[in-house]
Amino acid sequence: MNTKYKMCAQGKQQTPINIVPSKDVDLKPLDLQYKADAKSIINNGHTIQVNVAEGSVLKIDGVDYKLKQFHFHVPSENNIKGDSFPLEAHFVHATDDGKLAVVAVMFKEGAANASLAKIWKEFPNLEVGKALPFSMSVDEIKALMPENKDYYKFMGSLTTPPCSENVKWHVLKTPLTISKEQINAFFSQFGFPNNRPIQNTNGRVVEE
Ligand SMILES: [Zn+2]
């Protein structure tokens, strides 16, 4: 096996999981300080990813986790109490020394989301592996998260190789909506579901 993928097969703290909260600890509100616009968009072969300019952070215990990019999975990777969702967005943050934190947002079928529409509009222009300039304001980025940011918290991994662990996961409890047409458009962009299967929790604690 390629050592690059070793953690994907042998890790004990892999994501995604079926989220079943095991500990009610009154989590602190998420300290999201988003100030920067998007700068580019890419189909990297796994997903559609929007890269963000510097200046947006998620503060955790006084440490700045800088927002680097956000991307999408259809259907959702994590499940919540056994429920899968048609789309899950991952906002990926990193500290200067490489620690990772993800904020995940679920979407259920309903009204179209305007920020998704703006991203989806780029699909016909995307070639795998080639980033294109993309403008999206910080307010449009924030519209990809619900007002109510209550969340589930657990330790996990990246869901694509190298599946690195010690990633702080924050999955928002409140879903937004995506239209049937938007779900189908993502599917036809890829031609396959781009979610990783559910992984074993191995006794991990999920806080809420
Ligand atoms: Zn992801």
Side-chain angles (χ1 to χ4, degrees), residues 25-105:
V25 294
D26 258 333
L27 291 170
K28 279 185 268 183
L30 274 187
D31 191 358
L32 289 163
Q33 302 177 10
Y34 282 10
K35 291 169 186 165
D37 298 340
K39 61 177 184 193
S40 63
I41 185 167
I42 185 170
N43 175 343
N44 63 17
H46 297 295
T47 186
I48 305 293
Q49 178 175 311
V50 175
N51 299 312
V52 178
E54 233 183 273
S56 290
V57 300
L58 164 61
K59 255 195 198 304
I60 303 175
D61 299 330
V63 178
D64 280 358
Y65 287 74
K66 298 174 176 173
L67 178 64
K68 301 292 180 183
Q69 46 100 344
F70 58 90
H71 62 264
F72 305 95
H73 299 275
V74 172
S76 70
E77 296 206 299
N78 293 294
N79 285 3
I80 297 180
K81 298 171 187 167
D83 287 338
S84 162
F85 291 79
L87 178 115
E88 179 174 349
H90 288 158
F91 294 79
V92 181
H93 309 73
T95 61
D96 286 337
D97 58 354
K99 295 191 186 74
L100 297 168
V102 177
V103 175
V105 180

Side-chain angles (χ1 to χ4, degrees), residues 41-45 122-132 189:
I41 185 167
I42 185 170
N43 175 343
N44 63 17
E122 296 297 318
F123 287 176
N125 306 324
L126 296 177
E127 282 172 54
V128 175
K130 190 165 172 250
L132 297 178
Q189 177 71 17

